[in-house]
Structure formats: C-alpha cells, structure tokens
Short mmCIF file of all heavy atoms in Angstrom, two decimals:
data_model
loop_
_atom_site.label_atom_id
_atom_site.label_comp_id
_atom_site.label_asym_id
_atom_site.label_seq_id
_atom_site.Cartn_x
_atom_site.Cartn_y
_atom_site.Cartn_z
N TYR A 1 -144.69 154.70 -215.82
CA TYR A 1 -143.71 155.50 -215.19
C TYR A 1 -142.63 156.06 -216.14
O TYR A 1 -141.47 156.15 -215.82
CB TYR A 1 -143.00 154.66 -214.15
CG TYR A 1 -143.94 154.07 -213.08
CD1 TYR A 1 -144.20 152.70 -213.12
CD2 TYR A 1 -144.65 154.89 -212.22
CE1 TYR A 1 -145.07 152.20 -212.15
CE2 TYR A 1 -145.58 154.38 -211.32
CZ TYR A 1 -145.79 153.00 -211.28
OH TYR A 1 -146.65 152.49 -210.41
N GLY A 2 -143.12 156.36 -217.36
CA GLY A 2 -142.18 157.00 -218.32
C GLY A 2 -141.37 156.01 -219.16
O GLY A 2 -140.55 156.41 -220.00
N PHE A 3 -141.60 154.74 -218.99
CA PHE A 3 -140.84 153.68 -219.71
C PHE A 3 -141.70 153.20 -220.90
O PHE A 3 -142.84 153.21 -220.85
CB PHE A 3 -140.55 152.46 -218.85
CG PHE A 3 -139.47 152.66 -217.87
CD1 PHE A 3 -139.75 153.21 -216.59
CD2 PHE A 3 -138.18 152.40 -218.22
CE1 PHE A 3 -138.71 153.43 -215.69
CE2 PHE A 3 -137.12 152.62 -217.32
CZ PHE A 3 -137.42 153.08 -216.07
N ILE A 4 -140.94 152.88 -222.06
CA ILE A 4 -141.62 152.28 -223.17
C ILE A 4 -140.97 150.88 -223.37
O ILE A 4 -139.81 150.67 -223.05
CB ILE A 4 -141.43 153.13 -224.47
CG1 ILE A 4 -139.96 153.27 -224.84
CG2 ILE A 4 -142.15 154.41 -224.31
CD1 ILE A 4 -139.71 153.72 -226.26
N THR A 5 -141.75 149.98 -223.80
CA THR A 5 -141.30 148.58 -223.96
C THR A 5 -140.50 148.46 -225.26
O THR A 5 -140.99 148.89 -226.31
CB THR A 5 -142.48 147.60 -223.96
OG1 THR A 5 -143.10 147.69 -222.73
CG2 THR A 5 -141.97 146.16 -224.19
N ILE A 6 -139.35 147.93 -225.18
CA ILE A 6 -138.52 147.75 -226.36
C ILE A 6 -138.58 146.27 -226.79
O ILE A 6 -138.71 145.97 -227.96
CB ILE A 6 -136.99 148.05 -226.05
CG1 ILE A 6 -136.90 149.46 -225.48
CG2 ILE A 6 -136.09 147.87 -227.23
CD1 ILE A 6 -137.41 150.55 -226.36
N MET A 7 -138.48 145.35 -225.89
CA MET A 7 -138.57 143.87 -226.19
C MET A 7 -139.29 143.19 -225.08
O MET A 7 -139.13 143.49 -223.88
CB MET A 7 -137.13 143.26 -226.25
CG MET A 7 -136.35 143.64 -227.48
SD MET A 7 -134.81 142.55 -227.52
CE MET A 7 -133.62 143.84 -227.16
N GLU A 8 -140.04 142.14 -225.45
CA GLU A 8 -140.64 141.24 -224.53
C GLU A 8 -139.85 139.97 -224.55
O GLU A 8 -139.21 139.60 -225.50
CB GLU A 8 -142.10 140.88 -224.96
CG GLU A 8 -143.02 142.04 -224.78
CD GLU A 8 -143.52 142.31 -223.38
OE1 GLU A 8 -143.16 141.53 -222.47
OE2 GLU A 8 -144.18 143.30 -223.19
N LYS A 9 -139.86 139.23 -223.44
CA LYS A 9 -139.25 137.94 -223.31
C LYS A 9 -137.78 138.07 -223.78
O LYS A 9 -137.24 137.37 -224.66
CB LYS A 9 -139.93 136.88 -224.05
CG LYS A 9 -139.64 135.46 -223.61
CD LYS A 9 -140.54 134.46 -224.20
CE LYS A 9 -140.13 133.06 -223.66
NZ LYS A 9 -140.75 131.98 -224.36
N CYS A 10 -137.01 138.90 -223.06
CA CYS A 10 -135.67 139.28 -223.41
C CYS A 10 -134.74 138.65 -222.34
O CYS A 10 -135.01 138.71 -221.15
CB CYS A 10 -135.57 140.75 -223.39
SG CYS A 10 -133.92 141.49 -223.54
N THR A 11 -133.64 138.12 -222.75
CA THR A 11 -132.61 137.57 -221.83
C THR A 11 -131.64 138.71 -221.44
O THR A 11 -131.65 139.77 -222.13
CB THR A 11 -131.80 136.40 -222.41
OG1 THR A 11 -131.01 136.92 -223.52
CG2 THR A 11 -132.69 135.25 -222.81
N ASP A 12 -130.88 138.52 -220.35
CA ASP A 12 -129.92 139.57 -220.00
C ASP A 12 -128.89 139.70 -221.17
O ASP A 12 -128.36 140.81 -221.45
CB ASP A 12 -129.28 139.29 -218.67
CG ASP A 12 -128.48 137.95 -218.60
OD1 ASP A 12 -128.79 137.07 -219.38
OD2 ASP A 12 -127.60 137.87 -217.71
N MET A 13 -128.51 138.67 -221.84
CA MET A 13 -127.56 138.75 -222.90
C MET A 13 -128.16 139.63 -224.04
O MET A 13 -127.42 140.44 -224.62
CB MET A 13 -127.22 137.39 -223.45
CG MET A 13 -126.10 137.42 -224.50
SD MET A 13 -125.55 135.81 -224.98
CE MET A 13 -126.21 135.68 -226.59
N GLU A 14 -129.40 139.37 -224.38
CA GLU A 14 -129.98 140.18 -225.40
C GLU A 14 -130.06 141.69 -225.07
O GLU A 14 -129.90 142.54 -225.88
CB GLU A 14 -131.45 139.68 -225.70
CG GLU A 14 -131.41 138.33 -226.45
CD GLU A 14 -132.81 137.68 -226.42
OE1 GLU A 14 -133.54 137.83 -225.53
OE2 GLU A 14 -133.05 136.97 -227.48
N CYS A 15 -130.24 141.96 -223.76
CA CYS A 15 -130.23 143.28 -223.35
C CYS A 15 -128.82 143.94 -223.54
O CYS A 15 -128.79 145.10 -224.01
CB CYS A 15 -130.61 143.37 -221.83
SG CYS A 15 -130.42 145.05 -221.19
N HIS A 16 -127.80 143.19 -223.18
CA HIS A 16 -126.43 143.73 -223.39
C HIS A 16 -126.12 143.95 -224.84
O HIS A 16 -125.49 144.90 -225.26
CB HIS A 16 -125.45 142.81 -222.72
CG HIS A 16 -125.57 142.70 -221.22
ND1 HIS A 16 -125.50 143.72 -220.41
CD2 HIS A 16 -125.69 141.65 -220.42
CE1 HIS A 16 -125.63 143.41 -219.17
NE2 HIS A 16 -125.74 142.13 -219.16
N ILE A 17 -126.57 143.00 -225.65
CA ILE A 17 -126.41 143.17 -227.14
C ILE A 17 -127.17 144.36 -227.57
O ILE A 17 -126.55 145.17 -228.40
CB ILE A 17 -126.91 141.90 -227.87
CG1 ILE A 17 -126.00 140.74 -227.58
CG2 ILE A 17 -126.94 142.18 -229.42
CD1 ILE A 17 -126.46 139.39 -228.01
N PHE A 18 -128.36 144.61 -227.12
CA PHE A 18 -129.10 145.74 -227.58
C PHE A 18 -128.39 147.04 -227.07
O PHE A 18 -128.27 148.05 -227.84
CB PHE A 18 -130.56 145.76 -227.01
CG PHE A 18 -131.29 147.02 -227.38
CD1 PHE A 18 -131.78 147.17 -228.71
CD2 PHE A 18 -131.50 148.05 -226.49
CE1 PHE A 18 -132.42 148.34 -229.10
CE2 PHE A 18 -132.17 149.20 -226.78
CZ PHE A 18 -132.63 149.37 -228.12
N GLU A 19 -127.91 147.09 -225.86
CA GLU A 19 -127.27 148.32 -225.37
C GLU A 19 -126.02 148.62 -226.16
O GLU A 19 -125.71 149.76 -226.51
CB GLU A 19 -126.93 148.22 -223.90
CG GLU A 19 -126.34 149.50 -223.35
CD GLU A 19 -126.11 149.46 -221.83
OE1 GLU A 19 -126.38 148.48 -221.24
OE2 GLU A 19 -125.68 150.53 -221.35
N ALA A 20 -125.28 147.54 -226.49
CA ALA A 20 -124.02 147.79 -227.33
C ALA A 20 -124.36 148.22 -228.68
O ALA A 20 -123.66 149.17 -229.26
CB ALA A 20 -123.23 146.42 -227.39
N PHE A 21 -125.48 147.71 -229.21
CA PHE A 21 -125.88 148.18 -230.55
C PHE A 21 -126.37 149.62 -230.49
O PHE A 21 -126.01 150.45 -231.37
CB PHE A 21 -127.00 147.27 -231.05
CG PHE A 21 -127.16 147.34 -232.54
CD1 PHE A 21 -126.41 146.60 -233.41
CD2 PHE A 21 -128.19 148.14 -233.10
CE1 PHE A 21 -126.55 146.70 -234.80
CE2 PHE A 21 -128.41 148.20 -234.49
CZ PHE A 21 -127.51 147.47 -235.29
N LEU A 22 -127.14 150.02 -229.47
CA LEU A 22 -127.67 151.35 -229.31
C LEU A 22 -126.56 152.35 -229.18
O LEU A 22 -126.53 153.41 -229.76
CB LEU A 22 -128.53 151.40 -228.11
CG LEU A 22 -129.08 152.80 -227.73
CD1 LEU A 22 -130.06 153.36 -228.82
CD2 LEU A 22 -129.86 152.71 -226.42
N THR A 23 -125.51 152.04 -228.43
CA THR A 23 -124.47 152.93 -228.09
C THR A 23 -123.22 152.83 -228.98
O THR A 23 -122.18 153.33 -228.61
CB THR A 23 -124.08 152.79 -226.62
OG1 THR A 23 -123.63 151.50 -226.38
CG2 THR A 23 -125.20 153.15 -225.67
N LYS A 24 -123.40 152.13 -230.13
CA LYS A 24 -122.28 151.89 -231.02
C LYS A 24 -121.64 153.20 -231.55
O LYS A 24 -120.41 153.22 -231.93
CB LYS A 24 -122.71 151.06 -232.25
CG LYS A 24 -123.66 151.73 -233.18
CD LYS A 24 -124.19 150.73 -234.20
CE LYS A 24 -125.17 151.31 -235.23
NZ LYS A 24 -126.39 151.84 -234.63
N THR A 25 -122.33 154.34 -231.56
CA THR A 25 -121.74 155.57 -232.03
C THR A 25 -120.55 156.09 -231.18
O THR A 25 -119.55 156.48 -231.70
CB THR A 25 -122.80 156.69 -232.00
OG1 THR A 25 -123.96 156.26 -232.81
CG2 THR A 25 -122.29 157.99 -232.53
N ASN A 26 -120.70 155.93 -229.89
CA ASN A 26 -119.60 156.38 -229.03
C ASN A 26 -118.98 155.28 -228.19
O ASN A 26 -118.03 155.54 -227.50
CB ASN A 26 -120.04 157.54 -228.08
CG ASN A 26 -121.11 157.11 -227.10
OD1 ASN A 26 -121.49 155.98 -227.02
ND2 ASN A 26 -121.58 158.14 -226.34
N GLY A 27 -119.51 154.14 -228.23
CA GLY A 27 -118.89 152.93 -227.62
C GLY A 27 -118.97 152.90 -226.09
O GLY A 27 -118.23 152.16 -225.41
N GLU A 28 -119.70 153.86 -225.50
CA GLU A 28 -119.89 153.91 -224.03
C GLU A 28 -121.19 153.24 -223.66
O GLU A 28 -122.14 153.17 -224.39
CB GLU A 28 -119.87 155.33 -223.57
CG GLU A 28 -118.56 156.03 -223.89
CD GLU A 28 -118.68 157.56 -223.50
OE1 GLU A 28 -119.76 158.05 -223.16
OE2 GLU A 28 -117.65 158.24 -223.52
N THR A 29 -121.23 152.76 -222.41
CA THR A 29 -122.51 152.24 -221.87
C THR A 29 -123.46 153.38 -221.84
O THR A 29 -123.07 154.56 -221.74
CB THR A 29 -122.29 151.61 -220.55
OG1 THR A 29 -121.85 152.59 -219.58
CG2 THR A 29 -121.32 150.45 -220.55
N LEU A 30 -124.74 153.06 -221.80
CA LEU A 30 -125.77 154.05 -221.72
C LEU A 30 -125.56 154.95 -220.45
O LEU A 30 -125.68 156.15 -220.50
CB LEU A 30 -127.16 153.39 -221.68
CG LEU A 30 -128.32 154.27 -221.80
CD1 LEU A 30 -128.35 154.99 -223.16
CD2 LEU A 30 -129.61 153.43 -221.67
N GLU A 31 -125.14 154.31 -219.39
CA GLU A 31 -124.96 155.04 -218.14
C GLU A 31 -123.85 156.17 -218.26
O GLU A 31 -123.98 157.18 -217.66
CB GLU A 31 -124.55 154.01 -217.07
CG GLU A 31 -124.30 154.61 -215.71
CD GLU A 31 -123.91 153.57 -214.67
OE1 GLU A 31 -123.09 152.67 -215.03
OE2 GLU A 31 -124.41 153.64 -213.61
N ASN A 32 -122.85 155.87 -219.04
CA ASN A 32 -121.72 156.75 -219.19
C ASN A 32 -121.77 157.60 -220.45
O ASN A 32 -120.88 158.41 -220.75
CB ASN A 32 -120.39 156.01 -219.19
CG ASN A 32 -120.22 155.32 -217.86
OD1 ASN A 32 -120.48 155.80 -216.77
ND2 ASN A 32 -119.70 154.11 -217.91
N SER A 33 -122.80 157.46 -221.27
CA SER A 33 -122.89 158.10 -222.59
C SER A 33 -123.24 159.57 -222.45
O SER A 33 -124.02 159.98 -221.60
CB SER A 33 -123.91 157.45 -223.49
OG SER A 33 -124.01 158.05 -224.65
N SER A 34 -122.53 160.36 -223.31
CA SER A 34 -122.84 161.82 -223.35
C SER A 34 -124.05 162.11 -224.25
O SER A 34 -124.56 163.19 -224.24
CB SER A 34 -121.59 162.55 -223.73
OG SER A 34 -121.18 162.15 -225.03
N ILE A 35 -124.44 161.08 -225.03
CA ILE A 35 -125.49 161.20 -225.97
C ILE A 35 -126.82 161.06 -225.19
O ILE A 35 -126.92 160.11 -224.45
CB ILE A 35 -125.37 160.21 -227.08
CG1 ILE A 35 -124.13 160.44 -227.97
CG2 ILE A 35 -126.65 160.25 -228.00
CD1 ILE A 35 -123.84 159.39 -228.95
N LYS A 36 -127.80 161.90 -225.43
CA LYS A 36 -129.09 161.81 -224.90
C LYS A 36 -130.03 161.17 -225.88
O LYS A 36 -130.34 161.72 -226.92
CB LYS A 36 -129.73 163.12 -224.44
CG LYS A 36 -128.82 163.82 -223.39
CD LYS A 36 -128.75 162.96 -222.12
CE LYS A 36 -127.89 163.62 -221.04
NZ LYS A 36 -127.31 162.68 -220.12
N TYR A 37 -130.39 159.88 -225.67
CA TYR A 37 -131.19 159.20 -226.62
C TYR A 37 -132.73 159.47 -226.40
O TYR A 37 -133.21 159.66 -225.29
CB TYR A 37 -130.92 157.68 -226.38
CG TYR A 37 -129.56 157.21 -226.75
CD1 TYR A 37 -128.61 157.16 -225.81
CD2 TYR A 37 -129.21 157.00 -228.09
CE1 TYR A 37 -127.29 156.87 -226.14
CE2 TYR A 37 -127.91 156.62 -228.36
CZ TYR A 37 -126.93 156.55 -227.41
OH TYR A 37 -125.59 156.23 -227.67
N ARG A 38 -133.35 159.57 -227.52
CA ARG A 38 -134.81 159.76 -227.52
C ARG A 38 -135.49 158.39 -227.73
O ARG A 38 -134.87 157.44 -228.20
CB ARG A 38 -135.22 160.67 -228.70
CG ARG A 38 -134.56 162.08 -228.69
CD ARG A 38 -134.84 162.81 -229.91
NE ARG A 38 -134.26 162.02 -231.04
CZ ARG A 38 -134.80 162.01 -232.29
NH1 ARG A 38 -135.87 162.70 -232.62
NH2 ARG A 38 -134.25 161.26 -233.24
#
C-alpha cells in the first residue's frame, strides 16, 4: 500500500526517536512539517 519498512521490532519510543531524528532540520513533527520527505 505504498509503505516501505524502516524498522522491524520497533517500540513506540524508538518510533518517536526516529521521527525526531528525521525531522531535526525544522523541528516539527512529520504531520506538521512543510518538508516533503522522500
């Protein structure tokens, strides 16, 4: 359904850490980010 796997056996905390790391450029959550990630 258009999704790619990033991590297997991931906790919710690891997900939040990953999202914070991914969006470190603008400091916004993915939902609120103006950056379109590939």
